């Protein structure tokens, strides 16, 4: 049996040593962020989230508000549930009509996405500050200032 060693990953192209990188997130966080972005990439699902921002609603009412069939809405709700963006409220009976199920938003995946976006924003803010400082330094040198 042979084992192979992999070389450590190189820094991404264009990243100089000493430059800050966005904060690393655990695999679980990355998966939550990926599922959240995939779920929200579809306009109808964003509309469902928008409706649920007003408070819990029944699946049938959500479908009616968006002029959708129950079957189509069921698929969208399933994706949003899988992503953890919504959850059923109250106890659902096994034979209960799916239209009668009530859903509400779950803030946890949105909070994880918000934190990740904050890390990205901070990274680019630092990069832009460094670029501005360099541009100002070059401008002063061209004017003969120190």
């Amino acid at each position: 049996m042979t084992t192979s060693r992999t070389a450590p990953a190189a820094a991404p192209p264009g990243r100089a040593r000493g430059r800050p990188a966005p904060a690393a997130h655990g695999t679980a966080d990355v998966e939550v962020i990926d599922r959240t972005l995939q779920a929200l990439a579809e306009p109808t699902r964003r509309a469902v989230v928008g409706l649920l921002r007003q408070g819990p609603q029944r699946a049938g009412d959500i479908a009616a508000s968006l002029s959708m069939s129950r079957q189509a809405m069921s698929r969208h709700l399933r994706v949003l549930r899988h992503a953890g963006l919504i959850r059923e409220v109250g106890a659902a009976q096994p034979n209960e009509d799916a239209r009668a199920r009530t859903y509400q938003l779950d803030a946890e995946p949105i909070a994880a996405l918000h934190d990740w976006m904050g890390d990205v924003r901070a990274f680019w803010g630092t990069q832009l500050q460094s670029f501005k400082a360099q541009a100002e330094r070059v401008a002063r040198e061209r004017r003969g200032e120190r």
Side-chain angles (χ1 to χ4, degrees), residues 22 30 32 36 41 45 115-116 135:
V30 170
V32 167
T36 301
R45 292 192 285 268
D115 291 347
W116 179 78

Side-chain angles (χ1 to χ4, degrees), residues 2-16:
T2 61
T3 59
S4 63
R5 290 188 163 211
T6 57
R15 181 181 305 277

Side-chain angles (χ1 to χ4, degrees), residues 45-139:
R45 292 192 285 268
R46 288 193 306 273
V48 170
V49 169
L51 288 172
L52 291 176
R53 287 176 53 207
Q54 301 167 12
Q57 294 191 32
R58 292 176 5 166
D61 295 338
I62 297 168
S65 293
L66 298 175
S67 302
M68 295 190 73
S69 70
R70 294 185 316 258
Q71 294 83 6
M73 182 52 59
S74 177
R75 285 189 296 271
H76 289 296
L77 292 172
R78 189 176 320 121
V79 171
L80 290 168
R81 275 193 325 263
H82 176 71
L85 289 163
I86 65 171
R87 58 186 154 106
E88 287 185 43
V89 181
Q93 301 299 323
N95 295 327
E96 181 182 32
D97 185 349
R99 292 173 296 175
R101 293 183 182 149
T102 302
Y103 293 93
Q104 75 177 23
L105 288 178
D106 189 336
E108 198 169 315
I110 297 295
L113 180 60
H114 182 267
D115 291 347
W116 179 78
M117 292 295 293
D119 292 344
V120 171
R121 187 175 39 252
F123 168 76
W124 283 110
T126 301
Q127 296 300 305
L128 291 173
Q129 287 173 349
S130 296
F131 179 76
K132 179 182 177 195
Q134 178 63 22
E136 289 171 348
R137 211 172 8 258
V138 168

